[in-house]
Amino acid sequence: MTSQASAEPSRRRVLREPGFAAFLIARLAAVFAMQIQAVVVAWQVYDITRDPLSLAWVGLAQFIPMLFLLLPAGDLVDRYSRKRILLLSWSGQALCSGMLLYLSLGEHEVGYYYLVLALFGCGRAFTGPTLQSLLPQIVPREQLARAIAVNSMIMKVAVIGGPLIGGVLYALGGSLAYAVCLGCFVIGILMLLPVPVLYAAKILPVTNTAWQRFTAGIRYIRSRPIILGAISLDLFAVLLGGVVALLPIYASDVLYVGPEGLGALRSAVAIGALLMGIYLSTRALTRHVGLVMFVAVAVFGVANLVFAFSSLFWVSFAAMLVAGAADMISVYVRTTLIQLATPDEMRGRVNAVNMLFIGSSNELGEFRAGTAAAWLGTVPAAVMGGAATLAVVVGWAWGFKPLRQVDRFSEVESGPRSA
């Protein structure tokens, strides 16, 4: 009873932090845009080509620019206004939504879609590390873990609603969906403008080379086995085991549920994550956080295996629900470990490396899934991915014992440190 009573005021306190609510609304609008666009562009490209390999190119087109831009982006995030960088990156992504709107109004080659997605990937290279690094400048350190849980929970509303809305909008017309994405980005920009940045550390003068600055995040992560283990566990689990890229094929050719069913399947992942996020925002993890992360990733792998073998929509939906809940635990633990273990003046570069790993797992994971489906078949590719995730869990539990033994988040807290 006491823990519930104390959790509720704590949650209200973080929501009352100046600018935090506006930041949540801004990010909510932008995530809505990204989720709607992800569903619509994947289905549209597959509809044009009817080739599973085309879904691989959708992921690769976005990942290649991120690969080259993330480390320089992290350096810029640590040296300039994070809020201004986020506004510029969202503006660029809004422009890409406008380009996709134009393409959807006429008959165009699929290559044009890949080109726009590459430009969108350039914007995402700056958006990812900026968002992760800006939150600790908006809320005080003692509220950060709670803010991360609330932020993750709220974002899942967009990840749930976005795919569902995207599926419905695509059935009504792809151009309408892209217009909604453009509007959401504009709302995000307008809501972010008045958000105050109250907890920014002093920007240190540049005393080293660009290459040394770009790679500082990599060196820092390598010096912290717990962070390296957490990031790489997520990388290989999703890279080898993710099935999101195969959802258009499952919806069309295995489950026969159409674009609306595709939106529901993508939303199932987010519904599970939202429910888990609500739980974590009221009862934050306090003990055995490392072990909990390993168990969550294992459950993620098992859920993907169930989805791979399923030919019933309700079973597939339930499997994606469980996978989303497990992934939410993993993301929460990883994000909190990184934020608490990294000094503010290095957050941009460390989060850039983290986003590079996330981008590798998501976009390269889509490429891996698409090519495997083209070569082996859709179901064997999904089965192979789920089994690989379980193998990764076993290997990382043996190779990163310090991560498995982390009991409390406070054990990894780091004070200010020079870059």
Side-chain angles (χ1 to χ4, degrees):
M1 194 72 176
T2 304
S3 62
Q4 284 185 319
S6 61
E8 188 65 28
S10 179
R11 190 165 63 254
R12 289 199 299 266
R13 279 201 303 274
V14 71
L15 289 173
R16 286 199 296 264
E17 290 293 332
F20 181 58
F23 172 79
L24 287 180
I25 296 172
R27 191 174 182 188
L28 186 67
V31 175
F32 256 116
M34 295 181 206
Q35 291 297 319
I36 292 172
Q37 188 167 289
V39 169
V40 172
V41 77
W43 188 276
Q44 191 167 27
V45 168
Y46 184 65
D47 209 20
I48 293 171
T49 64
R50 306 306 296 179
D51 181 6
L53 194 59
S54 65
L55 298 175
W57 298 119
V58 167
L60 194 63
Q62 296 177 76
F63 173 71
I64 289 176
M66 293 176 63
L67 177 65
F68 289 100
L69 290 177
L70 268 170
L71 293 183
D75 178 51
L76 292 175
V77 167
D78 283 337
R79 294 171 56 203
Y80 298 100
S81 167
R82 294 170 183 174
K83 177 180 169 181
R84 189 171 303 163
I85 292 173
L86 184 56
L87 288 169
L88 290 173
S89 64
W90 277 352
S91 298
Q93 288 169 284
L95 178 62
C96 290
S97 294
M99 293 178 181
L100 290 171
L101 171 60
Y102 169 76
L103 291 175
S104 67
L105 293 173
E107 297 291 334
H108 294 90
E109 293 289 334
V110 71
Y112 289 108
Y113 287 88
Y114 296 142
L115 179 60
V116 175
L117 289 174
L119 295 174
F120 192 77
C122 293
R124 287 183 58 192
F126 289 87
T127 299
T130 308
L131 274 171
Q132 297 293 331
S133 304
L134 182 59
L135 181 59
Q137 293 186 342
I138 296 174
V139 299
R141 189 177 185 87
E142 60 270 16
Q143 290 285 352
L144 186 56
R146 183 74 59 182
I148 290 171
V150 173
N151 177 68
S152 299
M153 178 185 68
I154 294 297
M155 289 311 103
K156 294 308 175 184
V157 174
V159 181
I160 293 169
L164 287 172
I165 295 172
V168 173
L169 289 177
Y170 185 75
L172 298 175
S175 57
L176 176 61
Y178 294 127
V180 170
C181 294
L182 176 58
C184 286
F185 276 122
V186 171
I187 292 172
I189 291 168
L190 294 177
M191 290 301 301
L192 183 63
L193 283 171
V195 173
V197 178
L198 302 177
Y199 303 97
K202 183 179 179 180
I203 297 176
L204 300 176
V206 176
T207 59
N208 45 21
T209 67
W211 178 252
Q212 289 173 328
R213 296 196 310 273
F214 292 170
T215 57
I218 297 175
R219 294 196 302 272
Y220 184 81
I221 290 173
R222 287 183 61 188
S223 70
R224 305 297 295 266
I226 290 174
I227 301 179
L228 177 61
I231 294 177
S232 58
L233 174 63
D234 180 85
L235 164 66
F236 287 102
V238 178
L239 173 64
L240 299 175
V243 297
V244 172
L246 302 178
L247 292 185
I249 306 175
Y250 266 87
S252 175
D253 303 334
V254 177
L255 302 174
Y256 306 106
V257 290
E260 296 87 351
L262 170 62
L265 287 173
R266 290 187 67 110
S267 292
V269 180
I271 291 171
L274 175 63
L275 295 175
M276 183 56 65
I278 293 173
Y279 177 82
L280 293 174
S281 70
T282 56
R283 294 178 178 273
L285 294 177
T286 57
R287 301 294 305 274
H288 312 298
V289 295
L291 182 60
V292 167
M293 183 179 185
F294 279 102
V295 172
V297 177
V299 171
F300 174 80
V302 171
N304 283 335
L305 277 175
V306 172
F307 175 86
F309 285 112
S310 170
S311 59
L312 299 175
F313 177 75
W314 69 269
V315 174
S316 302
F317 186 90
M320 290 294 92
L321 199 76
V322 173
D327 186 57
M328 179 63 185
I329 297 174
S330 174
V331 169
Y332 169 73
V333 173
R334 186 190 73 244
T335 303
T336 305
L337 287 174
I338 293 171
Q339 297 289 30
L340 291 177
T342 307
D344 187 67
E345 67 270 14
M346 285 204 54
R347 279 202 175 99
R349 285 163 287 179
V350 169
N351 281 311
V353 177
N354 182 37
M355 292 306 300
L356 182 60
F357 275 63
I358 293 173
S360 299
S361 63
N362 291 335
E363 273 67 41
L364 285 184
E366 290 182 8
F367 183 76
R368 188 275 313 164
T371 53
W375 295 341
L376 304 175
T378 303
V379 174
V383 171
M384 183 179 66
T389 298
L390 296 178
V392 167
V393 172
V394 174
W396 261 244
W398 176 79
F400 289 92
K401 186 177 178 181
L403 172 61
R404 178 164 49 87
Q405 293 179 334
V406 173
D407 187 29
R408 301 176 186 271
F409 286 123
S410 58
E411 295 176 10
V412 302
E413 284 193 25
S414 173
R417 177 182 296 191
S418 171

